[in-house]
Amino acid sequence: RFCLLKMASTLTESFLADLEELGGDSDEEEEVVGEGESEGGDEEGDEMMDLTEGAEGNDKVTTEAEGLAEGDDVSRIWKSKRMQEHIKRLDRIEAITGGQESSAPDMEDLEYRCIYDSMSLTVDIDTEIGILHKHIRDLYAEKFPELESLILHPLDYARVVKRIGNEMDATLIDLGDILPSATAMIVTVTASTTAGKPLAEEKLENVFKACEEAMRLDELKQRMHTFVQNRMESLAPNLSALLGTGLAARVMGAAGGLMSLSRIPSCNVLMLGVKRKTLGGLSSKAARPNEGLVSTSDIVTSAPPDIRQKAARQLAGKVTLAARVDANKTDSTGEVGRKFKEVVEQKIEKWQEVPPSRQVKALPVPDDKQRKKRGGKR
């Protein structure tokens, strides 16, 4: 038994020794492999870091290049072929006719085409001004983030941004010729307490370029409106008789042309040219929402305040009918438009009439005749 135990212990010790030797070899192999992998991993990591840094550098360069390109040419509508040709036609017509309507047949065709291009391009200019407004707002939010909630009109926003610039003390800047007095006071107070920081010179230059581009587009839009306004009598005589040449041109420009206006229902005509209003904490009792171009007509503004909305709806229906008459060339004298105007004015006058007072009727004369009574008990 002693011999057997000794043999078993010897075998156990040899077995454990073999296991230790095998474990040591595997540890050495793992260390070698680990060192190789770590060296290769470090090299690959360095290469990946280099590639990542290079990619980030390329992205940075691309972004800066795009920003510079946007700053150099924020609006692309000036380079469009259609706009360039239209401006040339405008210059040619104004040089020949001196801004007045021409009776020459070839000039009539050119003016007619130029009128429709002016009205359709007016819509494109409004869209482009909206894009520029978003561009200015995104860049200038770093300097004055509260301004976009105080001034919603794109052109007023651009004028205020160009006037304020990087000035931190807004009390030194006069905004009275740009904004109403109440809004100018609110903007001045808010600008003095804003948490914004001054813009970098390059970013500020891009903001100023975008502001100048928006105001330049607005000047071109006003020039197109004036051109169309001078020729509205021949293009839309009934609409001009109903609204006046200036307002008729603005309504047609907002709709995108006479045919487009004739297809719009009267409830949507009432909303043409609607602008969002900022009350700036003031009372909303006197504010009139949903006030579009039709609501600025003399017919509506001369009516009492309590029936102006009703008068605007009535006038919008007649505007749609007059546009359809002009689009179909049914009447070229403007007589239909004048009749529509008289109908609207008569209805407004009727709404203002005092309702007839209720007459108190006298009691009927009592009948004094004796009635026959039946005798006997009842």
Side-chain angles (χ1 to χ4, degrees):
R1 181 181 290 179
F2 177 76
C3 291
L4 290 173
L5 289 172
K6 190 174 182 180
M7 289 178 60
S9 62
T10 305
L11 289 173
T12 303
E13 291 174 359
S14 63
F15 182 72
L16 291 173
D18 293 336
L19 286 176
E20 288 176 359
E21 290 178 0
L22 290 172
D25 294 337
S26 63
D27 290 340
E28 291 176 358
E29 289 177 0
E30 286 177 359
E31 289 177 1
V32 172
V33 172
E35 290 175 358
E37 287 179 353
S38 63
E39 292 175 359
D42 292 340
E43 293 176 358
E44 292 178 358
D46 293 337
E47 292 177 358
M48 291 297 294
M49 289 292 292
D50 294 337
L51 290 174
T52 306
E53 291 176 357
E56 290 177 355
N58 292 335
D59 290 341
K60 186 176 181 181
V61 170
T62 304
T63 306
E64 291 177 355
E66 291 175 355
L68 290 173
E70 290 178 356
D72 292 337
D73 187 15
V74 181
S75 176
R76 298 179 181 178
I77 194 171
W78 293 101
K79 292 186 177 181
S80 63
K81 184 178 179 181
R82 183 184 178 192
M83 178 61 77
Q84 295 293 331
E85 292 179 353
H86 181 67
I87 292 175
K88 290 179 181 178
R89 284 198 297 268
L90 274 178
D91 294 338
R92 178 187 172 192
I93 292 173
E94 290 178 353
I96 295 175
T97 62
Q100 301 298 323
E101 187 176 357
S102 176
S103 59
D106 55 344
M107 289 303 297
E108 285 183 358
D109 295 339
L110 184 61
E111 287 181 355
Y112 192 77
R113 185 175 59 181
C114 198
I115 287 171
Y116 275 96
D117 287 345
S118 296
M119 289 185 291
S120 60
L121 283 172
T122 299
V123 180
D124 296 339
I125 289 174
D126 288 335
T127 304
E128 193 72 21
I129 290 176
I131 295 172
L132 287 172
H133 173 57
K134 185 178 183 303
H135 178 74
I136 299 167
R137 188 181 59 194
D138 294 343
L139 292 178
Y140 202 69
E142 182 180 345
K143 167 65 174 62
F144 194 175
E146 299 89 354
L147 185 61
E148 60 179 299
S149 61
L150 299 176
I151 302 175
L152 301 177
H153 192 267
L155 292 171
D156 290 342
Y157 187 90
R159 293 187 185 101
V160 171
V161 167
K162 200 168 188 311
R163 181 71 61 86
I164 295 177
N166 257 347
E167 181 64 45
M168 299 303 295
D169 189 3
T171 57
L172 303 175
I173 301 171
D174 183 19
L175 300 175
D177 57 335
I178 301 176
L179 302 173
S181 57
T183 308
M185 180 182 65
I186 295 170
V187 171
T188 302
V189 173
T190 309
S192 302
T193 59
T194 185
K197 300 178 181 179
L199 299 177
E201 290 296 330
E202 182 179 354
K203 187 176 288 188
L204 184 64
E205 185 180 355
N206 289 341
V207 170
F208 284 164
K209 284 183 179 179
C211 294
E212 292 172 357
E213 194 76 14
M215 289 185 281
R216 186 183 170 197
L217 285 173
D218 182 64
E219 290 177 359
L220 178 61
K221 177 184 171 183
Q222 297 303 325
R223 180 186 175 189
M224 292 180 182
H225 274 313
T226 304
F227 174 79
V228 175
Q229 180 179 345
N230 294 334
R231 290 155 179 83
M232 282 297 295
E233 291 291 343
S234 60
L235 178 64
N238 296 285
L239 191 62
S240 299
L242 179 61
L243 296 177
T245 56
L247 185 57
R250 292 172 62 193
V251 171
M252 286 176 59
L258 183 60
M259 293 301 296
S260 299
L261 180 61
S262 65
R263 299 189 187 102
I264 299 176
S266 60
C267 58
N268 293 341
V269 169
L270 192 64
M271 303 299 293
L272 289 175
V274 170
K275 296 179 181 178
R276 293 175 59 190
K277 294 184 178 180
T278 53
L279 300 177
L282 303 177
S283 174
S284 60
K285 186 176 181 181
R288 294 193 298 263
N290 304 331
E291 185 177 296
L293 293 172
V294 175
S295 300
T296 62
S297 172
D298 295 336
I299 302 176
V300 178
T301 54
S302 61
D306 55 337
I307 63 171
R308 281 179 186 170
Q309 191 70 17
K310 193 175 180 181
R313 287 196 295 267
Q314 185 70 27
L315 182 60
K318 300 302 180 184
V319 166
T320 302
L321 295 177
R324 290 170 183 172
V325 171
D326 290 331
N328 293 323
K329 304 295 182 184
T330 306
D331 179 35
S332 59
T333 61
E335 187 65 27
V336 175
R338 284 187 285 272
K339 288 182 179 179
F340 285 161
K341 186 176 182 180
E342 291 176 1
V343 170
V344 175
E345 289 175 346
Q346 289 173 1
K347 287 191 175 183
I348 293 175
E349 289 178 1
K350 187 175 182 180
W351 292 336
Q352 297 180 64
E353 291 178 358
V354 179
S357 59
R358 295 183 60 183
Q359 296 180 358
V360 180
K361 294 183 179 180
L363 294 175
V365 179
D367 189 4
D368 294 336
K369 293 180 180 180
Q370 293 184 354
R371 298 180 181 179
K372 294 180 180 181
K373 296 181 180 180
R374 189 183 61 169
K377 289 185 178 181
R378 293 190 177 181

